[in-house]
Amino acid sequence: MLGRGIIRGLIETGRNFCGSYHDKERLTTVQYPEEKLAPQENARTIPFLVYDGNDPVAGLRCTACTICEQECPPQCISIVKDTVKKPDYLGKMQLHPKVFDIDITVCMSCGICAEVCPFDSIKMDQVFELAQGKRSMILHKNNLAKSNTYFGEIHPTEAAAVNEARAEEVRKAEAKKAAQAAPVSA
Amino acid sequence: MIATPEIQTARTRGIANHELLEVSMGPHHPSTHGVFRMNVLLDGEVIVKLTPVFGYLHRNHEKIAEKNSYLSAIPYTDRLDYICSMTNNWAYVLSVEKLAGIAVPERAEYIRVITAELTRLFNHACLAGFLLQDMGALGTPLMYAFREREKILDLFESLTGSRMMCNYLRFGGCRCDLPDGWLKQAAGVLAAFSPFLDQFEALLDENEILHARSEGVGVLPRELAINAGVTGPGLRASGVNYDVRKVDHYGIYDRFPFRVPLGEHGDVLDRYMVRILEMRESIKILDQALREIAPGPIIDPKAKLRNLRPKAGEAYGRIEGPKGELGFYLISDGGPTPYRFRVRPPSLINLTVLEDMCIGHSISDVVIILGSVDIVLGEVDR
Amino acid sequence: MLSLEQISTRICAAIAGARIETVPNASPSAQASLLIDNEHAREIAAFLRDDRELQFDYASNVTGVDWPEKTVKVKTKTKKVIDGVEKEVEELVEQKTPAFLEAVYHLYSMVRGGGPLILRLRTGNRTDHAVLPSLTPVWRSCEFQEREIYDLFGVTFEGHPDLRRILMWDGFEDHPMRKDYQPVAEEETKP
């Protein structure tokens, strides 16, 4: 019969159309911005700097080693080292950045900076509602620094692993210090 | 098509007499799959000559890769064929592994096969949807295909952090391991894919409009396809049994018994049906891979992430991407950046015979033939 | 697939005057290539495609490579007179490597399933002798790729049916993939 294929197709479409009124499976969209889907745990958009505790200056983990600046594919990070050193979580004196700028209109969200950082100090954020009127958007150190608690909220598994590893380092350092301070038995 | 001087003079005369009309289709055109332009010379509505013009998306990816390290080139390969980022990553990583002699552990090979076949599934589903939209189906099959694609993109987001620009494979393995529950979620997505294909075929396989518009249109003869370097489903639709997965035996594809669908006539309908059948074969491969994958290391422990300096030499590595043979040719001079980084783009080479397929057909057929070639401008222009 | 030496012998036996050299490859991929001379290139290509034992019917990839002149220090033995006695001394002498542009062809056989066979064609220099014979009449897949080498490297292919720029716009004047290309600052290219 001429038109048989078309009628079969239309029956399929009709089934989907009527089904979308009562079957949740068939309705596949959400009404953004009234409803929003929560981002997945691993999602990445732009980088941010992690700081421990409450002080974004003293607790900043970054030691200005510039590995992320060298590895960044579009070269969107620029770092200027500071001459003053401050102690890190193990008590060692480390450099820290005077200027840490990321041009997020150039950033391609690849996550390589977070992957190569040896100090777990730069991680990927999940914010995406960043539209605004200027052409170039450079985020500075104070915009980029976010607390470790925030890191734990957006990436719980990864933050838990990093916290555990750092706590282990602190325990090992303290055990070494205690062994050195204890008097040698005669 | 190489025009003889007689044909060229006839065309010039036709243009002067206002019998032939030269029209530029694109680059701003909804059906050209990107910023692609075709200068067509028309006799009424019939194509007499077709010249493809591209370069509107040329970013000189090859030069950028010469400035950055080998690791930094991986996110740029995502952006070549921006729909299929996992297979682009695999082709590049395979070439570097050939160049530097890096081995890959078994779990990583299984993960590569799983992600590549998922990519092939949604690429072919997208192509089927877009081709039918070009034929006038106004979005319904496209939206059904995109529903399945969304599920696979959710899988990629939970694995790699990003839906499309995955940046996941590394030299000697993968960047991170599968999260808990990923394999179960993937099995669920796959279980829903076969009924979707059945629904898709019920929707359209007997449709009279589809057959009238695609049977006998854009025929590509077998010898021309081989000589012009056409690869992928377009080549197999012309009857040539050449699938790089079967020829090169790269990765662990030897463990998966899958068939290679071939077409008979080399027209648009054959190219469409070959892709539907390839989707069914990919589902079989995925079923087996999801069952057989075992725990283990996901990257070679001796592989260097930063500062990789392969020995001076060169290597050409290729894979069967969803669009055809995607190859990377790398020359190293012993330094931290590649000396020459060349992408062999399947979409560009498949366009060599676009004119031959379109001559004698009408403008509406040109849109369908271009849709069946399956191009992505990110790859054509790089 | 036959080995490179066997293929080389077959070509030399079939085409008189062909000059072929094997270029080794030190990397683990072990993909060595054949450097063929420009006068017999098209004959050799047609032979590779049509010969019953070889049947390389599929040209997969055509690449352009820029090799600018480089100064390298090479250890050479020279005779020098030291304290009245003639001795043989090893010295580091500066030499200039030749400058040329190269086209590399990767060939496969779809019928037999073998490959890749890699061919190299070199120009005389990078300035006025940057000409190579086009292999498009033999393999149609070289058409767009040779146009790309013309556009981005500046190699003219003789015998190409339609040699014009493919990726850069028509009025563009430089060759972007060359090693000494200086990109123009953005303000100057705005209309």
Side-chain angles (χ1 to χ4, degrees):
Chain A
M1 181 185 87
L2 182 68
R4 204 186 96 151
I6 298 180
I7 292 181
R8 273 185 77 192
L10 285 173
I11 292 176
E12 204 47 60
T13 314
R15 209 180 286 158
N16 267 302
F17 181 65
C18 302
S20 69
Y21 280 102
H22 58 79
D23 192 358
K24 228 174 154 357
E25 254 285 307
R26 293 197 184 274
L27 190 61
T28 49
T29 54
V30 294
Q31 303 286 351
Y32 183 86
E34 286 87 24
E35 295 170 46
K36 291 188 199 189
L37 287 175
Q40 305 231 21
E41 188 189 326
N42 267 344
R44 51 181 153 92
T45 51
I46 56 169
F48 73 99
L49 291 171
V50 187
Y51 65 80
D52 292 313
N54 288 329
D55 189 351
V57 177
L60 198 68
R61 290 182 189 172
C62 175
T63 63
C65 66
T66 70
I67 289 182
C68 59
E69 186 180 7
Q70 292 161 29
E71 292 295 324
C72 174
Q75 305 278 300
C76 67
I77 302 182
S78 64
I79 299 178
V80 173
K81 294 191 204 206
D82 204 343
T83 41
V84 177
K85 288 196 181 187
K86 64 172 177 59
D88 67 356
Y89 69 110
L90 288 174
K92 255 189 352 191
M93 296 303 277
Q94 301 271 20
L95 288 170
H96 62 113
K98 189 155 75 169
V99 169
F100 195 111
D101 286 348
I102 298 184
D103 187 348
I104 62 168
T105 53
V106 175
C107 171
M108 49 152 71
S109 308
C110 62
I112 284 185
C113 54
E115 204 180 326
V116 296
C117 177
F119 298 99
D120 292 310
S121 71
I122 185 168
K123 295 289 172 190
M124 297 308 288
D125 203 349
Q126 289 177 347
V127 289
F128 57 92
E129 286 149 332
L130 297 165
Q132 39 96 60
K134 300 200 295 282
R135 273 195 94 145
S136 143
M137 203 161 132
I138 300 187
L139 291 186
H140 305 288
K141 198 171 60 164
N142 52 329
N143 310 112
L144 289 170
K146 297 198 179 164
S147 72
N148 196 15
T149 341
Y150 174 73
F151 179 38
E153 280 165 27
I154 55 172
H155 296 296
T157 337
E158 196 186 343
V162 168
N163 289 344
E164 177 57 42
R166 285 166 83 88
E168 181 64 33
E169 296 274 306
V170 171
R171 276 198 291 272
K172 273 204 271 205
E174 284 182 353
K176 207 165 116 178
K177 238 192 322 193
Q180 281 174 344
V184 178
S185 52
Chain B
M1 201 179 89
I2 289 104
T4 59
E6 292 83 28
I7 297 182
Q8 281 176 354
T9 26
R11 282 176 188 163
T12 326
R13 202 172 357 139
I15 298 174
N17 290 346
H18 300 290
E19 284 165 2
L20 298 178
L21 178 66
E22 183 145 17
V23 169
S24 161
M25 286 179 72
H28 293 282
H29 194 289
S31 300
T32 55
H33 297 273
V35 276
F36 179 64
R37 179 169 149 212
M38 293 181 278
N39 285 339
V40 294
L41 191 60
L42 297 171
D43 178 10
E45 261 218 32
V46 173
I47 307 277
V48 168
K49 173 173 183 278
L50 184 145
T51 319
V53 180
F54 30 80
Y56 294 94
L57 195 50
H58 180 60
R59 301 156 286 184
N60 215 345
H61 171 224
E62 303 183 350
K63 190 99 182 168
I64 294 176
E66 285 177 15
K67 275 188 338 193
N68 290 339
S69 66
Y70 285 88
L71 173 68
S72 308
I74 300 183
Y76 285 108
T77 58
D78 283 337
R79 282 136 172 101
L80 282 173
D81 174 0
Y82 36 77
I83 304 183
C84 313
S85 72
M86 286 289 195
T87 43
N88 295 351
N89 281 353
W90 193 359
Y92 173 58
V93 162
L94 189 81
S95 307
V96 175
E97 285 164 4
K98 271 197 181 162
L99 181 64
I102 305 175
V104 183
E106 191 173 319
R107 185 175 166 88
E109 292 279 18
Y110 270 102
I111 296 180
R112 286 181 181 185
V113 167
I114 292 173
T115 47
E117 294 305 315
L118 282 172
T119 309
R120 197 182 312 271
L121 275 184
F122 72 57
N123 175 275
H124 288 338
C126 275
L127 177 103
F130 279 118
L131 183 61
L132 292 163
Q133 183 172 10
D134 287 341
M135 284 193 211
L138 284 188
T140 308
L142 182 64
M143 287 302 129
Y144 291 178
F146 267 61
R147 257 202 321 228
E148 301 308 312
R149 182 169 178 239
E150 283 297 313
K151 296 183 196 159
I152 301 181
L153 290 179
D154 281 340
L155 276 178
F156 281 173
E157 194 178 9
S158 65
L159 174 63
T160 72
S162 171
R163 283 152 52 96
M164 278 167 68
M165 304 297 149
C166 298
N167 184 21
Y168 178 61
L169 298 180
R170 295 283 180 264
F171 312 126
C174 311
R175 187 177 71 172
C176 55
D177 208 342
L178 305 176
D180 295 329
W182 195 88
L183 286 170
K184 208 156 141 257
Q185 193 185 352
V189 168
L190 205 60
F193 209 92
S194 284
F196 153 71
L197 271 185
D198 294 334
Q199 194 192 70
F200 208 77
E201 293 201 42
L203 193 61
L204 290 155
D205 266 3
E206 283 182 19
N207 194 311
E208 288 83 359
I209 303 180
L210 171 69
H211 282 262
R213 287 206 71 179
S214 61
E215 255 180 70
V217 171
V219 176
L220 181 62
R222 197 171 181 274
E223 289 69 31
L224 181 59
I226 299 178
N227 192 260
V230 175
T231 48
L235 176 71
R236 293 193 280 278
S238 295
V240 181
N241 186 357
Y242 194 76
D243 185 327
V244 181
R245 294 175 287 178
K246 296 270 190 196
V247 171
D248 272 4
H249 311 283
Y250 64 91
I252 47 168
Y253 272 110
D254 283 341
R255 300 190 197 179
F256 301 96
F258 62 97
R259 297 177 300 176
V260 175
L262 296 177
E264 279 176 23
H265 309 287
D267 55 11
V268 170
L269 185 66
D270 273 357
R271 290 192 275 272
Y272 170 77
M273 289 310 300
V274 159
R275 288 183 168 103
I276 302 278
L277 293 171
E278 278 191 9
M279 280 201 267
R280 297 225 185 252
E281 296 300 316
S282 287
I283 295 178
K284 281 200 313 220
I285 298 178
L286 276 168
D287 266 331
Q288 188 184 342
L290 287 173
R291 270 196 325 261
E292 285 181 5
I293 184 171
I298 52 148
I299 193 161
D300 181 15
K302 294 197 301 282
K304 278 180 88 166
L305 196 60
R306 299 182 57 217
N307 245 337
L308 178 71
R309 286 168 192 251
K311 231 164 59 157
E314 59 180 51
Y316 179 65
R318 60 181 193 160
I319 62 156
E320 177 73 24
K323 302 208 158 55
E325 173 192 320
L326 174 62
F328 278 80
Y329 175 56
L330 296 165
I331 302 186
S332 156
D333 58 354
T337 64
Y339 185 83
R340 176 75 172 105
F341 177 107
R342 154 83 181 166
V343 182
R344 187 257 182 221
S347 303
L348 176 69
I349 318 282
N350 290 351
L351 280 180
T352 313
V353 284
L354 183 65
E355 192 183 359
D356 297 68
M357 288 195 280
C358 289
I359 298 248
H361 292 296
S362 68
I363 275 211
S364 44
D365 292 333
V366 167
V367 169
I368 293 180
I369 296 172
L370 181 66
S372 73
V373 171
D374 195 6
I375 60 169
V376 164
L377 265 298
E379 201 172 54
V380 170
D381 290 343
R382 283 153 288 136
Chain C
M1 194 179 97
L2 305 177
S3 75
L4 268 186
E5 289 74 37
Q6 288 169 313
I7 296 178
S8 188
T9 329
R10 252 186 112 77
I11 299 176
C12 289
I15 297 170
R19 294 187 300 280
I20 305 186
E21 199 185 303
T22 310
V23 178
N25 182 0
S27 80
S29 74
Q31 290 172 343
S33 38
L34 292 179
L35 170 63
I36 61 181
D37 63 300
N38 294 350
E39 295 105 282
H40 300 99
R42 209 171 294 161
E43 269 183 74
I44 296 177
F47 171 73
L48 287 171
R49 185 191 60 184
D50 300 327
D51 181 54
R52 297 309 309 163
E53 292 290 310
L54 300 174
Q55 289 183 301
F56 284 108
D57 48 6
Y58 167 44
S60 161
N61 178 30
V62 182
T63 311
V65 194
D66 185 15
W67 296 102
E69 196 179 65
K70 252 187 345 190
T71 317
V72 289
K73 294 205 167 79
V74 177
K75 273 194 194 154
T76 40
K77 291 196 167 92
T78 48
K79 288 199 162 76
K80 265 190 163 174
V81 179
I82 302 174
D83 297 329
V85 182
E86 202 177 295
K87 282 192 199 159
E88 218 179 59
V89 171
E90 256 191 19
E91 267 187 350
L92 284 177
V93 175
E94 276 193 1
Q95 274 183 7
K96 286 196 195 300
T97 58
F100 50 83
L101 294 160
E102 197 176 40
V104 184
Y105 291 78
H106 284 80
L107 306 174
Y108 286 86
S109 174
M110 277 198 189
V111 170
R112 289 170 170 264
L117 172 66
I118 308 176
L119 296 180
R120 302 183 105 93
L121 293 172
R122 291 187 181 163
T123 63
N125 61 21
R126 290 169 83 232
T127 45
D128 47 345
H129 289 304
V131 179
L132 286 178
S134 165
L135 298 187
T136 304
V138 180
W139 294 293
R140 182 83 186 275
S141 59
C142 306
E143 187 182 339
F144 284 176
Q145 302 186 75
E146 284 178 352
R147 268 177 71 185
E148 185 181 333
I149 302 180
Y150 167 68
D151 184 3
L152 299 179
F153 285 91
V155 176
T156 312
F157 283 92
E158 277 175 342
H160 192 282
D162 184 17
L163 194 66
R164 55 195 166 91
R165 286 195 179 260
I166 189 172
L167 291 175
M168 305 305 291
W169 61 91
D170 281 332
F172 192 77
E173 276 190 13
D174 208 339
H175 298 290
M177 279 298 289
R178 288 203 178 186
K179 294 285 178 187
D180 50 3
Y181 171 70
Q182 295 298 327
V184 181
E186 270 192 5
E187 288 74 60
E188 291 169 20
T189 51
K190 287 202 171 83

